[in-house]
Structures are given as C-alpha cells and as structure tokens.
Amino acid sequence: MSAAIIDGKRISSEVKEELASEVAALKEREIVPGLAVVLVGENPASKVYVANKEKACAELGINSVKHELPAPTLEDELLSLVERLNASPDIDGVLVQLPLPDHIDEKRVLEAIDPDKDVDGFHPINVGRLVVGERGFRPATPSGIIELLNRSGVELKGKEAVVVGRSNIVGKPVALMLLEKHATVTVCHSRTRDLAEVCRRAEVLVVAIGKARMITADMIRPGAVVIDVGVNRLENGKLAGDVDFDGAMGIASAITPVPGGVGPMTIAMLMVNTVEAAKRREKALVK
Ligand code: NDP
C-alpha cells in the first residue's frame, strides 16, 4: 500500500483561483481588499514571509501595503501605526509579522489590532470566538489544515483525531476546529505519557512539533490520514517534516508532504481572511 499525497500546492492554487474571481467581483463593486503588513527589523525569515504574502496579494489583485520599520522602533511608535491602520478605511487586514524585537511587547501589539481587521486570528477576541464557535478570524495554518482535509474528502465526523503539539498558533486552534467538525480529539504534548500509543489511535493524525521525523511508521494507525505541519531544516540543507514520510507512506492512507503540504495553505488562508474582511466592509457600507 502506498499513501495518497495530499497536494497542498494544488489545493492552495484552487483556493487562490476562487479568491481571484471573488476579488474581481468585489472590484467591480469598487471594493479593493487591502492588507497592511508591518515588519519591524531585519529578521531574514520574516522578510521572506512578508515578500511571499505581498506576492500572493499581487497575484489575487489584493492591495498590499508594506510598512518596514527599523529594529530600534519604539513600542509606542508601532502602536500608533497599528492605530492608524485600524482607522484606515482602505485597509481590511492588519498583520504584524512576528517575532518582534525583544524590547517590544508582542502581546500588547497583537491586542492593539482591531479584532475585525485581525486576519492572522491571534487577537484574544478571535481566539475566544473560535472557542465558543462564533464567526471571527481564524489562524491561517489550522484553517489551511481543515481546508486540506475538506477538499480531500476526509470525513471528520465521529473520527478519532490526535493532534501532537499544543501551540497557540497550530495545535490548540486545530484541535478546536477538529472538535467543531465533530471529531473526537486528543491533544498530545511533551508530557504525554505514551505518545506512540496515543498516536496509534488516530484515524486523523495532525503533527505540529518542530522535530524532524519524530513520528515514525510504528506510531501510525494503518489507513490513517496524516497531516504533517512541521518544517525542519536538515543538516544537508533540505526540509523535512515532523513525520518520517517514507515510513508513513507504507502505512497511512493519505499524507501531506513537506514541503508542498500545509505550508502553501497558510498564505492562501490568510488571503481568504483578507477577502472576507473586505466583504464585511462592503456589507457594513451597504447597511
Ligand atoms: P511550538 O514549538 O510552539 O510547539 C511545539 C509543540 O510540540 C509543543 O506543544 C510541545 O509540547 C510539543 N512537543 C515538543 N516536543 C515534543 C515531544 N517530544 N513529544 C510530544 N510533543 C512535543 O511549535 P509550533 O506549533 O509553532 O510549530 C510546530 C511546527 O510546525 C514547527 O516545525 C513549525 O516550523 C511548523 N509550522 C509550520 C507552519 C506552516 O505554515 N507550514 C506554520 C506554523 C508552524 P509542550 O507544549 O509540552 O512544550
């Protein structure tokens, strides 16, 4: 048996194509979705992420406005930029690229973003909306995972789902989203007693640890659907996921590759949130 590949590149292209037509329709009604991206300092990885977000905006016809601030920028200066963007009528989404320099309180900055422009879904109000099942912005990576499963025809209702990792950006929100889809969800972390035994229960296994190839074939239930969120740089320079891909291929029914699985979905879902924010602006204008 060889697992089917869940192709994140293809599925993210599908999502983006659908979005491009939504953006075109919005433009006909004179609404141009706008995303402001704020980058503080010179973190090379952050620069690449920001460039990729701008590229995706350009492809879809979304107006992206980049604000690059020097590393010594004061917290108050950043907060007043966020306030200006919150008030700007052309800006639907405000995104502050993390991490921020050490002298800036990340939590304070994220909480300053208007929850209705918080397309990253990190504001505690949006986290709360997710917990109680209300409409709000949801973080991109977990939304991307659910979209991959949906579009691959994986039924979640009643399934045993195991999430390995409990971070605020992946593990916890994806566990809540799986629960919302009526899966029976178990969340594992570094203190889980017998990780292998718990993972073997999973019909859907989502892994977000950050340790290359930690989940081996013997930890996977035959026929499981495996979503590998991990991105790890190996000594030879190549990327690897948290799952031993070659081993898993022989036992899972479907698996996401790294790269080319969850990664491409993250930016696509950020674009979905931005377009959604623009649609809400239009509705508010009509009222
Ligand atoms: P964090 O470091 O914030 O969280 C890692 C989680 O893994 C923690 O909950 C930790 O447990 C758990 N963990 C660590 N070691 C073990 C272990 N031995 N056994 C069981 N659980 C363990 O990572 P993130 O959630 O931010 O990211 C996870 C991975 O996903 C990374 O490789 C990251 O690069 C990747 N990622 C990919 C994205 C994409 O777009 N493709 C987006 C975001 C992340 P504990 O809480 O107990 O410490």
Side-chain angles (χ1 to χ4, degrees), residues 39-42 68-74 101 103:
L39 176 63
V40 187
E42 302 290 330
E68 277 184 293
L69 306 177
T73 297
L74 298 175
H103 66 279

Side-chain angles (χ1 to χ4, degrees), residues 171-214:
K172 277 187 214 161
V174 81
L176 287 164
M177 291 180 200
L178 290 164
L179 190 59
E180 186 177 61
K181 297 277 181 195
H182 312 295
T184 301
V185 184
T186 306
V187 182
C188 302
H189 44 78
S190 65
R191 321 290 159 87
T192 296
R193 216 179 317 124
D194 189 348
L195 183 65
E197 190 268 328
V198 182
C199 287
R200 272 194 298 269
R201 286 188 223 148
E203 295 172 280
V204 176
L205 180 63
V206 178
V207 187
I209 311 172
K211 292 191 175 152
R213 298 173 181 156
M214 213 193 110

Side-chain angles (χ1 to χ4, degrees), residues 12 16 32 38 47-48 54 82 87 92 109 115 117 123 137 168 175 178 195 208 231 267 286:
S12 68
K16 285 194 275 184
V32 181
V38 182
K47 284 191 166 188
V48 173
E54 285 190 286
V82 168
D92 298 295
V109 173
K117 292 194 177 189
H123 193 291
F137 291 114
N168 289 332
L178 290 164
L195 183 65
V231 180
I267 288 195
V286 172

